Amino acid sequence: MKDFLLKNRYRSLLVVLCFGLLSCQNEAWDDHYEDYPQMRDMKTVDWLASKGEYSKFLSLLESTGITGELRKGQSFTVWAVKNEAMTDLSAYSKEEQKAIAQNHLNYGAVYLSKLQRDTLRTLNGKLLEIKKEGGGFLFQDEKVKAYDRALLDGVVHEVARLAMPRKNIREYFDANAPEFAKMLALLEKEQYREADLENSKVLKVNEQGKTVYDTVWVDKNHFYEELGDLVSEDDRFAALLPTDAFVGASFAATLDFYLGEDHGLSDEELAAKKEKFEQELMKNWLLKDFSYASPSEMPEEIEGISGRLFFSESLKNSAEKVVFSNGVAFKASHVVMKCFDIMAPGVDIPQLGLWYEQGNVTGTEGMEFSVNDIKGKGIKALKVTAPAVGDAQYIDVALSDALLPGGTYVFETFGHDVKKSAKVKISLGDAEFMYEGVSKQWEKFTKEVAVNAPVNSMRITFVKKGPENPLILINHKSFKLTPKR
Amino acid sequence: MMRSNIKLYTVMLWAFCFSGLASAQTEESVRLKQDLRGLLNSIGSTKQASGIGQEGLGKECKPSIEQTLIGKVPGLWVKERSGMPGEGASFYWRGVNSFRANQTPLVVVDGIPYETYSLGYSMVDGFYNNPLANINPNEVQSITFVRDAVAVWGSRAVNGVLMIETTKADKVQTEINFRASGGIVTAPEKISLLNGAQFRGLASDLASSGFSSHKDIEKTYPFLLDDPNAPLYHQFNNETDWQDEVFSDAKLQEYNISVSGGDEIAKYAFSLGYTNREGLYKNTDFTRYNINMKGDINITRSFKFEPNMSIVLKDNALMHQGLRSATNPLLAAYKKSPLLSAHAKDDEGRDLPYYSSLYFGVSTPTVLIENSSADIRSYRALASSKFTYDFGKAFKVNLLFGLDFNKSRERIFIPQDGVINRYEYSETGKRINYNGMRQGVERSLSYFGDLYATKLHRWGKHQLDARAGLRYRTVEIELDNAYDFGSPSDDFKSVGQGSARSLRRVLGGVSDNVELTAYGVANYSFDNRYLATLGLAYDGSSRVGEEASSYALFPSAGFEWRLASESFLKDSQLFSLLSLRTNFSLAGNDRFNALLGRSAFRPVQGILSGVIHNGLVNKELEREQTTNLDFGVDAGLWNRRINISAVYYFRKTTNVIVGYELREPLSGMYYDNGGEIENKGWELAADVRLLDKELKFDLGFNISKNENQFTKLSASSNPLALQHSGKLVEEIPGDGQVVLQVGAAMNQYYGYRALGVFSTTEQAESAGLKDEDGNPFSAGDMIFDDVDNNKIINANDMQAIGNTMPEYVGGAFAKFNYKRFELSAYCDFATGCDVYNYSRVISESMYGMYNQSKAVLRRWRAEGDQTSMPSATMSDPMGNSRFSTRWIEDGSYIRLKTVSLTYSVPKLKFYQNMKLYFTVDNVMTRKDYLGYQPSEAAFGGAGAGLSKMPSGRSFIIGVQLGL
């Protein structure tokens, strides 16, 4: 061998040189692009499998077919639960189990140490909240016990307990159908179908030259479109839970609020009012711009989605929270909704009034209307007149019974929509008094008036606009005039 | 052997004066030497030159002159511009000695200076229009690099002279030579990019960093949901390898026929060539047609006439290679998401017959490859005549007259569909895509005349050989470029069809330069032992400042002592050659923009039309001046089986042109001769014939070292110019910077030093680094060196982070001859240089929804990750991808450039000789650089390691047939 090498030393040298060159080519390249030390050695599934303490969770993923999804080459965040914290899911159907499993997975690796977002879409379509609290995190209100275990195809966090998928509002109604019969009936009524011609297949063009489609129908719902999409996982609603009981009790409470027990309505009138009220309430139980963590923070008056207001008093005392995947509802026994138009005796009357704004008076067109009296409650308002809009600033209310000299009468108002600091002058003959708007607008305002001469009409004059909001609205329904007993 | 050495010397002496070494040598034995050993031999005289003979040229089937020179000339670093056929290379000889002036060697073809300096401009982004590509290497008989030719060529020779001799009409017997070759070029290993799933992972990291609401993420990037019912599901669920859309293996072919012959009165040489080389991008290629005619006519005994004519037609189909991913297909292929497809998809995932919309804002590489075009067609005609009158007694008078005409026409089209176009709104508010048509024409015409006399005189042991002459040259260049935008559809590709008339632009320029040189050179030798050279060139140039002196005197001198010829070594068995030599020269460099020192007006159009002055210029701007001094030793041992040559050089360049900002309220730059640069180093070349029997085995190498220093930065003499504080920072392409600091090497990269990535929040918090706006660097962000220790990372923390020029360059060869076989291999290398890898900036910054290389798989993702790759952050608010050492890579490489096997077929009746050869080019490269070829990344302050077409490995077979 030595001889051979010596004899062929040049050739040997060359061979060594060539191999030397060949063998060390592109090392840096490979290290950089291909063979760098793997930072992640396992896929999420394999990692879970390697950790015995997640075996129950993993078997849930396996039995529901999710592991197949995990192996598809996407990147995932897995919110795993340790065996000791796993709930027994045998009572749930396969479908439900799958939904539960999917609720613990989302696409994309979300590292909590670099968390920027507040919601996460899980594989079952729910948009879950993720919150920072104290030094830790909450995943759909479940405590995150360990986080940011980075793996080849994603990241695993550990949550304290299974985060059971929450129902959205509609699912909740469906699941508790007996309680929501009225609400569901309404939603059913609002349902309609529409042809989706864009996605329909054209079959032919008929003799009249019209295109004939194999129509694809799309189910739509007016309620969802106009008021709130109760099946959407992307929206967040706050609501009053509209059980049948709640709807009924709210009617009773509102009726009592306006008319008292001795309302004197006939059965038909009452039934009509009830129906009308319930229809209105069932379109108004979603709360508008609601951002209060608890009912105690609520102002006295809150607005529903269709614009009517509620007095929040009843909620404060009895509210219990129900959490949906797309919102939260307050479970109250009843609520008082502001609806003079419905509660006024007789048929419904359009809301009328005058608006005093920036020194000008505008109002409901015509401004002359007859009024039904409020039975048994005192003097009736017969006719309300106002001069043409713009030039004067008062309303005259014709009274059914003349106020007699020497008598004392009680003027009551709910303070309806007279803004704070705005002033209205009420004139009953010679007797005059100022009525100032108060911030608590639903509070009653009471004034005793002594009358020295017969009075047949009451005049409401706008004196001063409010500083905060230069608006005064006087609704003829907002006062009562009764002889002092 | 001694005799042949003397002969070699005399021959070389002449070679220096007139042309390349090889052209003057006729004997086959000498030719062989030139081939490889000639490289070294040529240095063995006071005239420093390195030559490459025809043999060396032909066998390798080089696409260009530059390729032929790679790694072969000591001290000359030939750096390819890209693998785009026809783009050529830059030359750096003995370092860098200027910022503003051209540093390429003077090219002289058949005695006529070949204009290369002004003709490089192209409207094709990132392309250098290489004039040397007009020369067919198959028609070249020799290339000689002459180091110190200042005596003859004056200023123009400051960076050496590249002498190219085409086939001469010097044979009486009729020779017909046919040469054909063909081959394929394979694309290099692709950069590994993320696949669809990996991209999705990156995209979700980016989306998480950019949005707080998951709903917004889904709305912006619906593909992240992977829902088959989601809109555009099929549009976002592909697995496209965009590099495959760009790259394809290429073919090349070359045919050449040459005929020469004649009698003692008139000899002729004629050659015809065709070359076609495809580029590695689809739809790119380079085609060249050459005709070359030469004559050698003895009109009388003493009056000789040598006509010469060559015509070239060159067609280049190119792609944009600038730093814009909108038009550079390679950058677009790096950036474009693999989930997307070239064509739009229907609901079932079938291709629709139109291109997909441009999601994520990256042009579709397929469109750039298929629909965009950038074509250059150029013609070049070179005609010359040389008249020689021999008065006898070795006294000759020569007149060389030449004409060099060049015209090139560029046509560029950038389509609308599938390309991210800039856009503007027209006067009527209509959006006009900036898809563009560009056309340009460049013409140059150069006249050249050289009248000179030569005299050779011998008396006793003395010999004097002198030449004196007067040279005149003019170069006229005219350039017209037209830009048009917004053609109605992608079928309209010509200037004039654009709808955006308000945007239309026409640019042009004319330049006219005159050079005049009176020169004289005398070579004296005594007894073949002492040799001395003295030269003087009185050089006139029209490029210097208006009021500076146009003329300057440049002296040169050399001395050589041939020890081997001395009596004490005459009979030495060891030394067959031993000589010591030294050379000195002073030369100027006037190849800078003449407008730096001349006031001029230029027209403006706009609200006001008229002419404006080009501002305050330095009318006294002078040539840059380089003093070159070198000492060399040459030795030939054991009957010249071993040859060694070593040179030490020192070059000092003064009057270096530096830009100074003008004081307010003036604006713009003012140029003055304010800098000084020193280059020193050595060059060593050796070759050895290890075996010299039936099997011959030669080995050789050359290596050169350069040390470069910016030594002085003077204040400008003009008080209106702002002075530099010893430091000059210049922008380079790709948002990088280089710095020029007195006392340091020239053009060092200037940026931040990256020290790693913060692994944990705790680590980041304890470091407490912030950016200039007070935002803290957190876990997953880069750690940058806080030079001033103020915890704020800002411009004050920038430092020199890498050399743009190599310290050592060189090459090596090995050659075996066995009977009729010959196997040769060439290597080249460079070390000590750094490259700014812009491709990695594009493919590893992780700041947007762009595809990235697989390297980002090791990005920081979770607390505690130990990695050098920061986290993916939308828009990169902390500047993790800023110009830093992260992108500066060691550009050292050693490359087995060529391996060639030749077989001489035994002679048969119907032909004189036949050779078959097989050549592999770019065999392999050993490098740490993470881009393609480090030699193709730009060094020398020229810019970023651009994302240009890499060179492939070519396999060529060929035949050479002599009839």
Side-chain angles (χ1 to χ4, degrees):
Chain A
M1 186 66 195
K2 199 180 164 192
D3 283 354
F4 175 83
L5 281 178
L6 272 176
K7 264 187 194 164
N8 299 282
R9 56 185 184 275
Y10 303 124
R11 264 166 281 184
S12 311
L13 190 74
L14 192 79
V15 167
V16 168
L17 212 96
C18 286
F19 274 96
L21 262 173
L22 267 171
S23 61
C24 53
Q25 190 194 7
N26 270 350
E27 250 171 54
W29 175 288
D30 290 345
D31 285 351
H32 189 75
Y33 293 112
E34 309 284 350
D35 305 331
Y36 48 83
Q38 287 285 351
M39 293 192 37
R40 317 272 178 258
D41 44 354
M42 276 191 224
K43 290 198 156 204
T44 45
V45 186
D46 301 326
W47 186 81
L48 288 172
S50 74
K51 301 276 170 188
E53 64 258 40
Y54 297 111
S55 62
K56 282 187 184 170
F57 181 75
L58 184 66
S59 68
L60 171 68
L61 299 185
E62 268 162 7
S63 65
T64 49
I66 308 270
T67 40
E69 182 78 12
L70 278 173
R71 288 187 188 282
K72 262 172 45 181
Q74 293 271 3
S75 76
F76 291 94
T77 304
V78 181
W79 305 82
V81 178
K82 279 198 172 154
N83 289 345
E84 62 262 27
M86 279 293 284
T87 323
D88 179 22
L89 297 175
S90 51
Y92 292 87
S93 72
K94 258 275 142 348
E95 270 308 296
E96 285 166 332
Q97 286 186 14
K98 184 170 184 180
I100 293 166
Q102 284 178 327
N103 210 45
H104 292 79
L105 282 144
N106 59 271
Y107 285 118
V110 177
Y111 294 92
L112 296 186
S113 53
K114 283 244 161 180
L115 187 74
Q116 297 254 359
R117 50 178 125 163
D118 45 21
T119 52
L120 288 174
R121 171 92 58 206
T122 63
L123 256 58
N124 63 351
K126 302 284 179 189
L127 205 58
L128 295 197
E129 272 186 3
I130 173 107
K131 280 184 283 200
K132 257 184 203 173
E133 202 180 76
F137 298 91
L138 291 180
F139 171 71
Q140 188 184 284
D141 297 333
E142 302 298 344
K143 205 166 174 168
V144 179
K145 288 175 77 180
Y147 56 87
D148 285 359
R149 170 65 216 196
L151 292 153
L152 204 55
D153 61 343
V155 57
V156 177
H157 311 297
E158 188 201 327
V159 277
R161 285 185 307 150
L162 277 181
M164 302 304 274
R166 286 170 174 160
K167 293 183 168 61
N168 64 35
I169 298 178
R170 177 62 201 253
E171 284 168 348
Y172 186 84
F173 290 170
D174 289 337
N176 301 286
E179 279 185 69
F180 295 96
K182 282 181 180 168
M183 195 60 232
L184 288 168
L186 175 81
L187 292 176
E188 194 60 39
K189 216 178 80 189
E190 300 283 320
Q191 198 79 14
Y192 69 103
R193 301 184 93 191
E194 205 175 68
D196 178 7
L197 293 186
E198 235 172 59
N199 288 311
S200 301
K201 207 167 139 191
V202 176
L203 293 177
K204 61 173 184 184
V205 177
N206 69 11
E207 296 83 357
Q208 286 92 42
K210 287 186 175 157
T211 316
V212 179
Y213 293 94
D214 177 9
T215 315
V216 172
W217 293 97
V218 189
D219 285 324
K220 292 190 166 181
N221 191 305
H222 292 298
F223 189 99
Y224 296 168
E225 284 161 19
E226 288 155 23
L227 298 169
D229 189 351
L230 303 179
V231 294
S232 162
E233 297 291 349
D234 292 354
D235 294 322
R236 283 287 175 275
F237 301 104
L240 304 173
L241 204 60
T243 57
D244 294 354
F246 169 80
V247 174
S250 295
F251 175 71
T254 308
L255 186 70
D256 184 51
F257 180 79
Y258 283 108
L259 304 179
E261 277 165 23
D262 49 347
H263 51 70
L265 295 171
S266 71
D267 286 354
E268 298 91 57
E269 281 172 330
L270 195 64
K273 278 199 193 307
K274 189 174 182 198
E275 195 193 335
K276 176 71 185 163
F277 175 86
E278 288 184 353
Q279 290 294 323
E280 285 293 314
L281 179 62
M282 285 197 294
K283 288 181 178 174
N284 199 41
W285 53 273
L286 289 170
L287 301 178
K288 203 171 174 182
D289 306 327
F290 191 88
S291 60
Y292 311 102
S294 80
S296 61
E297 293 174 17
M298 290 182 202
E300 278 81 354
E301 200 171 72
I302 49 176
E303 195 178 357
I305 196 81
S306 58
R308 288 188 183 273
L309 299 166
F310 298 109
F311 298 124
S312 69
E313 235 168 336
S314 59
L315 303 175
K316 284 182 177 170
N317 301 326
S318 62
E320 177 195 322
K321 233 186 202 174
V322 182
V323 183
F324 309 108
S325 63
N326 60 349
V328 59
F330 299 96
K331 202 170 185 177
S333 56
H334 69 277
V335 75
V336 174
M337 185 164 77
K338 289 178 94 174
C339 51
F340 297 101
D341 52 330
I342 299 169
M343 287 304 150
V347 285
D348 45 326
I349 302 155
Q351 184 151 335
L352 297 163
L354 272 190
W355 289 262
Y356 177 96
E357 195 172 3
Q358 306 288 359
N360 291 316
V361 177
T362 52
T364 313
E365 205 177 343
M367 280 312 292
E368 192 171 322
F369 46 90
S370 56
V371 189
N372 291 287
D373 66 339
I374 301 168
K375 248 183 195 174
K377 283 287 171 187
I379 297 139
K380 302 167 199 167
L382 284 180
K383 197 173 180 131
V384 183
T385 51
V389 172
D391 54 347
Q393 301 176 2
Y394 57 87
I395 309 173
D396 279 336
V397 182
L399 302 173
S400 60
D401 301 309
L403 309 184
L404 300 173
T408 304
Y409 294 85
V410 182
F411 174 85
E412 282 178 87
T413 172
F414 299 110
H416 185 237
D417 280 354
V418 176
K419 299 291 178 198
K420 193 178 180 183
S421 309
K423 273 186 190 169
V424 179
K425 188 172 77 182
I426 312 283
S427 316
L428 289 162
D430 298 338
E432 282 183 358
F433 58 92
M434 299 299 283
Y435 163 42
E436 285 190 39
V438 284
S439 60
K440 295 180 179 178
Q441 292 163 23
W442 53 91
E443 268 185 6
K444 285 185 181 177
F445 171 80
T446 311
K447 182 83 185 174
E448 287 183 13
V449 187
V451 178
N452 301 322
V455 176
N456 289 316
S457 74
M458 178 174 76
R459 175 167 287 192
I460 305 167
T461 313
F462 302 95
V463 178
K464 185 181 162 225
K465 59 182 181 173
E468 297 148 351
N469 186 340
L471 175 79
I472 299 171
L473 167 68
I474 283 291
N475 187 298
H476 64 282
K477 290 282 186 272
S478 58
F479 67 88
K480 270 202 272 189
L481 203 55
T482 43
K484 191 182 176 192
R485 285 174 190 154
Chain B
M1 200 65 213
M2 202 61 232
R3 232 191 114 233
S4 107
N5 277 342
I6 297 165
K7 185 173 172 193
L8 196 67
Y9 160 64
T10 26
V11 161
M12 278 189 293
L13 202 63
W14 282 102
F16 159 70
C17 290
F18 302 120
S19 61
L21 277 165
S23 62
Q25 302 177 26
T26 50
E27 288 177 29
E28 189 59 29
S29 64
V30 180
R31 262 177 200 265
L32 258 176
K33 278 208 164 81
Q34 290 151 18
D35 184 11
L36 291 165
R37 298 163 70 96
L39 268 176
L40 181 65
N41 292 353
S42 58
I43 307 167
S45 77
T46 47
K47 316 301 172 267
Q48 309 172 49
S50 299
I52 295 156
Q54 196 178 26
E55 295 272 307
L57 286 166
K59 239 173 295 175
E60 296 149 32
C61 184
K62 292 295 182 193
S64 65
I65 302 292
E66 297 92 329
Q67 291 277 321
T68 313
L69 287 165
I70 287 173
K72 292 191 186 147
V73 179
L76 182 71
W77 188 41
V78 183
K79 201 197 76 56
E80 298 117 300
R81 293 196 181 92
S82 79
M84 184 67 85
E87 201 180 3
S90 313
F91 296 97
Y92 293 96
W93 184 58
R94 290 185 174 173
V96 189
N97 59 22
S98 182
F99 319 126
R100 301 281 155 201
N102 188 279
Q103 299 180 62
T104 54
L106 172 71
V107 178
V108 176
V109 177
D110 292 332
I112 312 271
Y114 199 72
E115 182 60 36
T116 55
Y117 160 51
S118 316
L119 296 177
Y121 173 78
S122 171
M123 283 197 285
V124 182
D125 293 345
F127 182 72
Y128 181 83
N129 205 350
N130 175 30
L132 282 180
N134 288 317
I135 301 170
N136 181 354
N138 289 309
E139 288 173 355
V140 172
Q141 190 165 340
S142 71
I143 304 171
T144 312
F145 186 78
V146 187
R147 288 175 178 75
D148 212 333
V150 174
V152 175
W153 290 103
S155 285
R156 256 67 68 192
V158 65
N159 292 310
V161 180
L162 196 63
M163 303 273 221
I164 297 171
E165 281 291 310
T166 57
T167 316
K168 278 188 106 80
D170 56 2
K171 296 185 195 77
V172 178
Q173 72 270 31
T174 304
E175 271 185 21
I176 301 170
N177 270 297
F178 176 72
R179 196 192 283 264
S181 62
I184 55 158
V185 189
T186 58
E189 186 188 356
K190 289 178 293 182
I191 283 177
S192 307
L193 299 174
L194 300 182
N195 62 27
Q198 291 162 337
F199 172 78
R200 216 185 275 271
L202 173 68
S204 89
D205 280 13
L206 282 166
S208 296
S209 75
F211 293 91
S212 62
S213 144
H214 201 105
K215 251 160 62 190
D216 291 343
I217 295 176
E218 287 169 13
K219 221 162 97 188
T220 320
Y221 306 116
F223 71 98
L224 286 173
L225 270 186
D226 198 31
D227 172 10
N229 300 316
L232 301 171
Y233 175 79
H234 292 289
Q235 204 66 80
F236 285 103
N237 273 277
N238 301 282
E239 191 70 62
T240 311
D241 185 332
W242 292 108
Q243 289 187 92
D244 282 351
E245 300 281 308
V246 173
F247 284 114
S248 82
D249 290 347
K251 296 188 293 292
L252 59 91
Q253 50 187 325
E254 231 173 79
Y255 307 98
N256 252 76
I257 186 159
S258 63
V259 183
S260 62
D263 52 28
E264 291 301 331
I265 304 290
K267 296 184 274 285
Y268 66 91
F270 170 81
S271 72
L272 195 64
Y274 168 79
T275 303
N276 177 264
R277 299 181 78 93
E278 291 175 356
L280 288 174
Y281 298 168
K282 296 167 188 170
N283 298 334
T284 53
D285 79 343
F286 169 83
T287 309
R288 178 179 55 212
Y289 305 86
N290 295 68
I291 299 178
N292 200 343
M293 286 173 287
K294 274 193 172 180
D296 186 333
I297 302 159
N298 293 314
I299 295 171
T300 67
R301 262 179 171 247
S302 46
F303 189 43
K304 191 171 173 179
F305 169 49
E306 292 166 83
N308 181 2
M309 172 91 191
S310 78
I311 297 169
V312 186
L313 167 65
K314 188 177 76 175
D315 263 328
N316 244 358
L318 302 161
M319 292 282 160
H320 290 281
Q321 301 200 79
L323 293 179
R324 291 184 57 218
S325 59
T327 51
N328 181 334
L330 189 58
L331 281 184
Y334 289 158
K335 277 176 91 173
K336 185 114 179 156
S337 164
L339 296 176
L340 301 174
S341 60
H343 286 89
K345 302 269 184 181
D346 70 4
D347 289 349
E348 266 93 47
R350 290 174 298 235
D351 272 4
L352 292 169
Y354 49 87
Y355 291 117
S356 160
S357 301
L358 293 171
Y359 305 101
F360 311 138
V362 183
S363 295
T364 305
T366 322
V367 175
L368 295 174
I369 290 291
E370 287 174 1
N371 283 6
S372 75
S373 59
D375 300 327
I376 303 180
R377 165 168 288 189
S378 63
Y379 315 85
R380 190 152 189 174
L382 189 70
S384 68
S385 301
K386 186 177 172 191
F387 300 93
T388 309
Y389 194 85
D390 191 345
F391 288 92
K393 293 186 178 171
F395 178 61
K396 288 181 186 174
V397 174
N398 303 269
L399 174 66
L400 177 63
F401 175 78
L403 181 112
D404 176 6
F405 176 71
N406 186 82
K407 180 176 175 180
S408 80
R409 182 187 174 86
E410 306 196 346
R411 290 171 67 101
I412 294 163
F413 174 68
I414 301 162
Q416 288 183 28
D417 276 354
V419 177
I420 296 291
N421 281 297
R422 284 173 289 174
Y423 57 88
E424 282 185 16
Y425 289 94
S426 72
E427 286 144 358
T428 55
K430 198 179 143 202
R431 177 177 155 145
I432 293 158
N433 279 324
Y434 232 54
N435 82 316
M437 294 76 76
R438 303 178 203 165
Q439 275 185 36
V441 178
E442 187 180 52
R443 283 171 294 261
S444 81
L445 180 60
S446 168
Y447 293 100
F448 171 80
D450 191 1
L451 177 67
Y452 61 94
T454 59
K455 170 75 181 161
L456 182 68
H457 183 62
R458 289 195 188 93
W459 67 104
K461 288 181 175 177
H462 308 273
Q463 176 175 307
L464 182 69
D465 166 21
R467 168 176 171 175
L470 187 67
R471 185 184 301 114
Y472 172 80
R473 180 168 177 249
T474 63
V475 183
E476 284 172 41
I477 294 171
E478 193 182 333
L479 186 76
D480 300 294
N481 291 334
Y483 296 78
D484 199 1
F485 302 95
S487 70
S489 86
D490 286 345
D491 301 313
F492 297 89
K493 302 185 178 183
S494 299
V495 164
Q497 292 171 332
S499 53
R501 296 201 176 155
S502 57
L503 301 178
R504 228 173 245 178
R505 277 182 291 143
V506 179
L507 310 171
V510 181
S511 95
D512 204 341
N513 287 297
V514 184
E515 295 161 5
L516 182 67
T517 308
Y519 62 93
V521 55
N523 295 308
Y524 166 80
S525 87
F526 174 74
D527 195 21
N528 196 30
R529 280 185 287 156
Y530 308 102
L531 293 86
T533 303
L534 192 67
L536 274 180
Y538 190 59
D539 220 12
S541 166
S542 66
R543 279 203 186 94
V544 296
E546 242 173 285
E547 286 162 16
S549 166
S550 300
Y551 292 92
L553 191 66
F554 297 112
S556 64
F559 179 74
E560 182 179 352
W561 180 23
R562 304 201 142 193
L563 285 99
S565 305
E566 294 286 354
S567 53
F568 54 87
L569 277 179
K570 215 160 192 170
D571 302 319
S572 162
Q573 290 297 305
L574 180 66
F575 293 104
S576 38
L577 175 82
L578 181 66
S579 68
L580 301 172
R581 58 190 162 85
T582 175
N583 255 64
F584 159 83
S585 70
L586 175 68
N589 189 352
D590 65 349
R591 289 190 288 173
F592 48 82
N593 186 347
L595 287 179
L596 299 185
R598 283 165 188 271
S599 55
F601 288 92
R602 64 184 170 86
V604 282
Q605 285 155 6
I607 301 164
L608 287 172
S609 293
V611 292
I612 57 168
H613 191 260
N614 68 345
L616 190 63
V617 293
N618 183 358
K619 293 183 181 174
E620 287 166 2
L621 199 67
E622 290 175 18
R623 291 174 180 80
E624 297 182 351
Q625 287 204 350
T626 299
T627 310
N628 191 87
L629 186 63
D630 51 51
F631 304 95
V633 56
D634 302 296
L637 309 177
W638 292 295
N639 215 7
R640 304 206 61 178
R641 271 186 78 162
I642 298 175
N643 294 288
I644 301 166
S645 167
V647 184
Y648 170 83
Y649 66 86
F650 175 81
R651 278 159 77 81
K652 180 167 185 166
T653 307
T654 53
N655 281 355
V656 175
I657 296 173
V658 177
Y660 299 82
E661 258 177 72
L662 285 168
R663 279 179 209 284
E664 289 195 1
L666 295 166
S667 66
M669 298 298 278
Y670 180 83
Y671 295 91
D672 211 339
N673 298 94
E676 275 186 28
I677 299 165
E678 275 178 22
N679 281 284
K680 57 189 171 196
W682 46 260
E683 287 148 13
L684 175 69
D687 68 273
V688 53
R689 171 155 287 185
L690 287 169
L691 297 175
D692 197 9
K693 290 175 184 154
E694 196 170 28
L695 173 70
K696 292 185 175 60
F697 178 24
D698 295 281
L699 266 180
F701 75 93
N702 73 78
I703 179 168
S704 53
K705 187 197 156 113
N706 173 256
E707 222 180 279
N708 172 281
Q709 204 182 23
F710 186 44
T711 46
K712 195 169 152 191
L713 181 59
S714 318
S716 169
S717 53
N718 191 326
L720 291 172
L722 286 170
Q723 307 308 339
H724 296 291
S725 53
K727 189 162 86 177
L728 242 156
V729 177
E730 300 215 338
E731 303 280 318
I732 56 170
D735 299 326
Q737 289 177 314
V738 290
V739 69
L740 296 152
Q741 263 169 306
V742 172
M746 295 267 296
N747 296 332
Q748 294 194 73
Y749 294 116
Y750 190 62
Y752 298 86
R753 187 166 297 281
L755 304 173
V757 170
F758 284 119
S759 169
T760 59
T761 306
E762 197 190 336
Q763 189 195 356
E765 278 169 2
S766 71
L769 296 179
K770 291 191 166 126
D771 71 3
E772 205 147 39
D773 303 326
N775 303 312
F777 286 85
S778 56
D781 285 326
M782 294 299 300
I783 311 170
F784 291 111
D785 189 8
D786 183 21
V787 176
D788 54 7
N789 269 320
N790 65 351
K791 304 277 183 196
I792 295 166
I793 302 297
N794 58 13
N796 297 335
D797 299 308
M798 291 173 84
Q799 49 187 306
I801 53 174
N803 296 318
T804 51
M805 287 296 289
E807 194 178 358
Y808 295 96
V809 295
F813 73 86
K815 197 170 89 169
F816 296 91
N817 282 84
Y818 182 72
K819 293 185 175 167
R820 294 185 165 273
F821 290 95
E822 184 185 303
L823 178 68
S824 62
Y826 287 87
C827 268
D828 70 309
F829 65 86
T831 65
C833 47
D834 298 299
V835 188
Y836 171 32
N837 190 340
Y838 185 72
S839 298
R840 272 184 56 228
V841 178
I842 290 295
S843 65
E844 288 177 21
S845 285
M846 301 180 285
Y847 58 83
M849 287 290 172
Y850 305 124
N851 200 20
Q852 304 282 282
S853 81
K854 279 205 161 68
V856 306
L857 289 177
R858 60 168 180 273
R859 65 184 176 275
W860 188 97
R861 280 188 284 185
E863 196 72 13
D865 277 358
Q866 301 277 351
T867 177
S868 57
M869 188 68 67
S871 61
T873 326
M874 192 66 102
S875 310
D876 190 15
M878 296 313 292
N880 289 329
S881 61
R882 67 183 73 192
F883 184 64
S884 71
T885 48
R886 212 180 143 190
W887 315 119
I888 305 295
E889 295 173 18
D890 185 359
S892 305
Y893 67 93
I894 176 162
R895 168 170 59 172
L896 182 52
K897 182 80 182 98
T898 315
V899 174
S900 195
L901 179 69
T902 312
Y903 174 66
S904 305
V905 184
K907 196 176 164 183
L908 283 176
K909 223 177 194 175
F910 55 90
Y911 62 81
Q912 295 288 317
N913 60 67
M914 175 151 69
K915 275 183 181 171
L916 301 175
Y917 56 88
F918 174 64
T919 299
V920 186
D921 196 34
N922 270 336
V923 185
M924 63 173 109
T925 308
R926 167 82 179 95
K927 63 185 169 69
D928 285 340
Y929 177 57
L930 300 171
Y932 290 111
Q933 290 283 0
S935 59
E936 283 163 10
F939 301 82
L946 310 161
S947 299
K948 296 174 82 170
M949 182 195 286
S951 289
R953 182 177 297 148
S954 43
F955 302 86
I956 303 155
I957 51 168
V959 60
Q960 185 196 327
L961 189 65
L963 299 173

